[in-house]
Amino acid sequence: MANTEELKLEINKAIDNSTLGRTLGTFCKTYPQKRINSYDNLDFKEIQEKNKEVKAYAAKHVDEMIEKFTQNCEKRGGHVFVAKSQKEAMEWIRKLVKEKDIKSIVKSKSMASEELGFNHILSDDGVDVQETDLGEFIIALRKDSPVHMVMPALHLNKEQVADLFTDYTKEKNEPIIAEEVKTSRKVMRDKFIKADMGLSGANVAVAETGTVFTMTNEGNGRMVGTLPKTHLYVFGIEKFVNSISDARWIFKALPRNGTAQKMTTYLSMYTGACEVVSDKENDTKEKKDFYCVIIDDPGRREILADENYSEIFNCIRCGACLDVCPAFALVGGHVFGSNVYTGGIGTLLTNFLVSEQRAKEIQGICLQCGRCNEVCGGGLDISGMIMKLREEDVEKNPDAVKKFALDAVTDRKLFHSLLRIASVAQDAFTKGQPMIRHLPMFLSGVTKGKSLPAIAKVPFRDIFPTIEQKVENPKGTIALFAGCLLDFVYVDTARAVIADLNSIGYKVEFPMGQACCGCPASNMGDVENAKKEAEINIEAMDAEKYDYVVTACPSCTHQLRSYENFFDDKDPMKERAQEIGRKTFDFCKLFYDLGGLTDQGDDKEIKVTYHDSCHLKRTLGIYQEPRELLAHTKGVELVEMADSDQCCGFGGSYSVLYPEISSKILENKVNNANETKADVLAIDCPGCMMQIRGGFDAHGVDMKVKHTAEIIAEKRGLI
């Protein structure tokens, strides 16, 4: 199990680091739009699909790729060694260095060599190993590991770098970036000229030609590959593509995703051995030795063999998943990562290639917001694979406290009884107010940066039988799945959903046997309890009886649609799970599709801004419908907030387990909403409502937070 206390210390230290927060925060805030701009006149989805295609082909034919690459590289005078373990790779390199009497090595960033402990091991052997990428050089001076896979020193400012260079050169360095670049160039020039070996990492390896590619923005990569008499490439089997034509798709995506550039400054390709000028005065040339070490270790083979994770091989190492991750923007790769790989994809690579233990510790930092999947150059389901890691960890190492809590939620009668008791007991904390602003002792973190809503005195399930639905000649009947929050907290939202659907001719029923959708269990990796919830709700909702099942929570919608995944094809529950999945829709989508988009409203002017919940936009693909419903409601002026689709930090149990991160993400959302000067923030997720409404209360923001269904019902005079 993860050492929670140590990880908490790491998180708090990172959040308290103002320089880290400023540098990462600024970059991650400006990156998304710059990335979008770089794809001007290009279809990113097409590029993403092509990368998936070419990388998946290479992965399925990896042994053929190794054989073809080896033949074609050696045909052109190169030497190839296929290492079956990281240790074997390093031992072979050490032997080569000794045989060639290598005294100094210059490197252009290679993540694979970091897996091997290249710098440390060869330095202990007495070899001078020099990182020549500016970022890696800075990190090496700090005796640190990269904070980011593409931009390793992203977390440092120019003042810190100036101090490092002053200590290293013994000359005063001013905190001026251009001058710092000159210093590094001056240091490197002599290193390049005297180096016996250059080591490069590959962005792509082409099997049909035996060619390796390196993409860089600094001239050092080309110097490493051309000046020393021996050139060594180290890369893993995941870097293969079949042809040069296949490689072009990676070249289209990697610079745009990595640094929001249309292309990198240098695109270098090396195919076999060549000559090098050993004496420029006399134009003397010698044969240049060219070696490739291909890492084909058990970790990589394990990835390939497991259908749950094999698409990791589609990764093009662009780092975009880090740049859009709200958690990474706060804590960086030293916390959300290992000493080699960082962020979402870094968690997965760490699990197989670096340390399973570290991967277990950091996988919980993932919010499951899904932004990484949107921008991934290789089309990976990064968040889904992290969730799979979580499920496997829970199965192998169950947490007794979390298990007890989820068992209680799964027991519908017990859970509902506890909520009813809490609605009475909460008076000591609400003090007559609709919000709980402080909780005692070990629960204090739950109200960090936000307040909590009070539990409804009367749950919706008790109110429903009293609701009069005047629907003449109903077009159909819809079952309402309320979920925990509509049933026990936001009963007014549930009323509004019914009134809205009644207004377009549909009768609504509320199956009383329904329970929690199971999303909390799923998010925490507890498949057993999630499946139990699925069975309870499939029986209770009896979807076969209804035209549709509606929820006002996209997380519930997604969970109900996922029920079929809990049952194998022979299980009779499979068909019923598929039935409820087919009929389940989120309120806005269903209301929009069934005719709810009309120009109605009271014409009383209110300014409304909108927050996109992660599940609604990224999982269900619903973005435009709620906006159109609001914009067509007379009296509503719809204004967009900055980063409307940025996660609010709720993430279900995430806000309880990681309140330090959650509260900081929430603070950004509160500030963005407040800048719109709107009267109301519209939301289609009760969890986001709870999080942001609590943030407004804690930060003193005078803005109402309402579900879209409520705004429509109020403006149309339905409630």
Side-chain angles (χ1 to χ4, degrees), residues 381-401:
D381 179 11
I382 296 170
S383 60
M385 288 188 284
I386 291 176
M387 179 58 71
K388 192 65 185 175
L389 280 183
R390 194 172 297 173
E391 291 171 0
E392 292 173 358
D393 184 38
V394 168
E395 185 178 1
K396 294 175 185 175
N397 308 290
D399 184 299
V401 176

Short mmCIF file of all heavy atoms in Angstrom, two decimals, residues 381-401:
data_model
loop_
_atom_site.label_atom_id
_atom_site.label_comp_id
_atom_site.label_asym_id
_atom_site.label_seq_id
_atom_site.Cartn_x
_atom_site.Cartn_y
_atom_site.Cartn_z
N ASP A 381 -6.08 5.86 -23.61
CA ASP A 381 -7.02 6.08 -22.51
C ASP A 381 -6.19 6.07 -21.22
O ASP A 381 -6.19 5.10 -20.46
CB ASP A 381 -8.08 4.97 -22.50
CG ASP A 381 -9.08 5.14 -21.35
OD1 ASP A 381 -9.07 6.21 -20.71
OD2 ASP A 381 -9.85 4.19 -21.09
N ILE A 382 -5.49 7.16 -20.98
CA ILE A 382 -4.56 7.23 -19.85
C ILE A 382 -5.31 7.11 -18.53
O ILE A 382 -4.94 6.32 -17.65
CB ILE A 382 -3.75 8.54 -19.90
CG1 ILE A 382 -2.88 8.56 -21.15
CG2 ILE A 382 -2.89 8.68 -18.65
CD1 ILE A 382 -2.22 9.89 -21.42
N SER A 383 -6.39 7.88 -18.38
CA SER A 383 -7.12 7.84 -17.12
C SER A 383 -7.74 6.46 -16.88
O SER A 383 -7.79 5.98 -15.75
CB SER A 383 -8.21 8.92 -17.09
OG SER A 383 -9.13 8.75 -18.15
N GLY A 384 -8.20 5.83 -17.95
CA GLY A 384 -8.78 4.49 -17.81
C GLY A 384 -7.76 3.46 -17.36
O GLY A 384 -8.06 2.59 -16.54
N MET A 385 -6.54 3.56 -17.88
CA MET A 385 -5.50 2.61 -17.48
C MET A 385 -5.03 2.87 -16.05
O MET A 385 -4.71 1.93 -15.32
CB MET A 385 -4.33 2.68 -18.47
CG MET A 385 -4.66 2.06 -19.82
SD MET A 385 -3.24 1.92 -20.94
CE MET A 385 -3.04 3.62 -21.46
N ILE A 386 -5.01 4.14 -15.65
CA ILE A 386 -4.68 4.44 -14.25
C ILE A 386 -5.75 3.87 -13.33
O ILE A 386 -5.45 3.33 -12.26
CB ILE A 386 -4.52 5.96 -14.04
CG1 ILE A 386 -3.25 6.46 -14.75
CG2 ILE A 386 -4.44 6.29 -12.54
CD1 ILE A 386 -3.05 7.95 -14.69
N MET A 387 -7.01 3.97 -13.76
CA MET A 387 -8.10 3.38 -12.98
C MET A 387 -7.92 1.87 -12.85
O MET A 387 -8.18 1.28 -11.79
CB MET A 387 -9.44 3.69 -13.63
CG MET A 387 -10.65 3.10 -12.90
SD MET A 387 -10.76 3.65 -11.17
CE MET A 387 -11.25 5.35 -11.41
N LYS A 388 -7.45 1.23 -13.92
CA LYS A 388 -7.21 -0.22 -13.88
C LYS A 388 -6.11 -0.54 -12.87
O LYS A 388 -6.22 -1.52 -12.11
CB LYS A 388 -6.82 -0.73 -15.27
CG LYS A 388 -6.85 -2.23 -15.40
CD LYS A 388 -8.25 -2.78 -15.22
CE LYS A 388 -8.27 -4.29 -15.23
NZ LYS A 388 -9.62 -4.83 -14.94
N LEU A 389 -5.08 0.28 -12.82
CA LEU A 389 -4.03 0.10 -11.81
C LEU A 389 -4.63 0.18 -10.41
O LEU A 389 -4.28 -0.60 -9.52
CB LEU A 389 -2.96 1.18 -11.94
CG LEU A 389 -1.87 1.06 -12.99
CD1 LEU A 389 -0.90 2.22 -12.85
CD2 LEU A 389 -1.14 -0.27 -12.88
N ARG A 390 -5.52 1.15 -10.24
CA ARG A 390 -6.16 1.36 -8.94
C ARG A 390 -6.98 0.14 -8.55
O ARG A 390 -6.94 -0.31 -7.40
CB ARG A 390 -7.05 2.61 -9.02
CG ARG A 390 -7.51 3.14 -7.70
CD ARG A 390 -8.20 4.49 -7.90
NE ARG A 390 -7.30 5.51 -8.43
CZ ARG A 390 -7.67 6.71 -8.80
NH1 ARG A 390 -8.93 7.08 -8.72
NH2 ARG A 390 -6.79 7.58 -9.26
N GLU A 391 -7.72 -0.39 -9.49
CA GLU A 391 -8.54 -1.58 -9.22
C GLU A 391 -7.68 -2.77 -8.82
O GLU A 391 -8.01 -3.50 -7.88
CB GLU A 391 -9.37 -1.93 -10.46
CG GLU A 391 -10.47 -0.91 -10.78
CD GLU A 391 -11.13 -1.18 -12.12
OE1 GLU A 391 -10.73 -2.15 -12.80
OE2 GLU A 391 -12.03 -0.40 -12.50
N GLU A 392 -6.58 -2.95 -9.53
CA GLU A 392 -5.68 -4.07 -9.23
C GLU A 392 -5.06 -3.91 -7.84
O GLU A 392 -4.89 -4.89 -7.11
CB GLU A 392 -4.60 -4.17 -10.30
CG GLU A 392 -5.14 -4.61 -11.66
CD GLU A 392 -4.09 -4.54 -12.76
OE1 GLU A 392 -2.95 -4.14 -12.46
OE2 GLU A 392 -4.41 -4.90 -13.90
N ASP A 393 -4.72 -2.67 -7.50
CA ASP A 393 -4.12 -2.41 -6.19
C ASP A 393 -5.12 -2.69 -5.08
O ASP A 393 -4.78 -3.27 -4.04
CB ASP A 393 -3.62 -0.97 -6.12
CG ASP A 393 -2.90 -0.67 -4.82
OD1 ASP A 393 -2.17 -1.55 -4.33
OD2 ASP A 393 -3.07 0.43 -4.28
N VAL A 394 -6.37 -2.26 -5.27
CA VAL A 394 -7.41 -2.49 -4.26
C VAL A 394 -7.66 -3.98 -4.08
O VAL A 394 -7.83 -4.47 -2.95
CB VAL A 394 -8.73 -1.78 -4.65
CG1 VAL A 394 -9.88 -2.24 -3.78
CG2 VAL A 394 -8.56 -0.27 -4.53
N GLU A 395 -7.62 -4.71 -5.18
CA GLU A 395 -7.85 -6.16 -5.10
C GLU A 395 -6.72 -6.85 -4.34
O GLU A 395 -6.96 -7.74 -3.52
CB GLU A 395 -7.96 -6.74 -6.51
CG GLU A 395 -8.32 -8.22 -6.54
CD GLU A 395 -8.47 -8.76 -7.94
OE1 GLU A 395 -8.29 -8.00 -8.92
OE2 GLU A 395 -8.79 -9.96 -8.07
N LYS A 396 -5.48 -6.42 -4.59
CA LYS A 396 -4.33 -7.06 -3.95
C LYS A 396 -4.11 -6.55 -2.52
O LYS A 396 -3.68 -7.30 -1.65
CB LYS A 396 -3.06 -6.79 -4.77
CG LYS A 396 -3.06 -7.44 -6.14
CD LYS A 396 -1.81 -7.02 -6.91
CE LYS A 396 -1.81 -7.53 -8.33
NZ LYS A 396 -0.65 -7.04 -9.11
N ASN A 397 -4.39 -5.26 -2.30
CA ASN A 397 -4.09 -4.63 -1.01
C ASN A 397 -5.28 -3.82 -0.52
O ASN A 397 -5.23 -2.58 -0.50
CB ASN A 397 -2.87 -3.71 -1.15
CG ASN A 397 -1.68 -4.40 -1.76
OD1 ASN A 397 -1.06 -5.25 -1.16
ND2 ASN A 397 -1.36 -4.02 -2.99
N PRO A 398 -6.35 -4.47 -0.13
CA PRO A 398 -7.55 -3.73 0.29
C PRO A 398 -7.30 -2.86 1.52
O PRO A 398 -6.59 -3.27 2.43
CB PRO A 398 -8.57 -4.84 0.59
CG PRO A 398 -7.75 -6.06 0.85
CD PRO A 398 -6.54 -5.93 -0.02
N ASP A 399 -7.86 -1.66 1.50
CA ASP A 399 -7.77 -0.74 2.63
C ASP A 399 -9.01 -0.94 3.49
O ASP A 399 -10.13 -0.71 3.04
CB ASP A 399 -7.71 0.70 2.11
CG ASP A 399 -7.52 1.71 3.23
OD1 ASP A 399 -8.41 1.79 4.11
OD2 ASP A 399 -6.52 2.45 3.20
N ALA A 400 -8.82 -1.36 4.74
CA ALA A 400 -9.94 -1.73 5.60
C ALA A 400 -10.91 -0.58 5.83
O ALA A 400 -12.13 -0.76 5.82
CB ALA A 400 -9.41 -2.25 6.94
N VAL A 401 -10.37 0.63 6.02
CA VAL A 401 -11.23 1.79 6.30
C VAL A 401 -12.07 2.14 5.08
O VAL A 401 -13.29 2.34 5.16
CB VAL A 401 -10.39 3.00 6.74
CG1 VAL A 401 -11.27 4.23 6.92
CG2 VAL A 401 -9.64 2.68 8.03
#
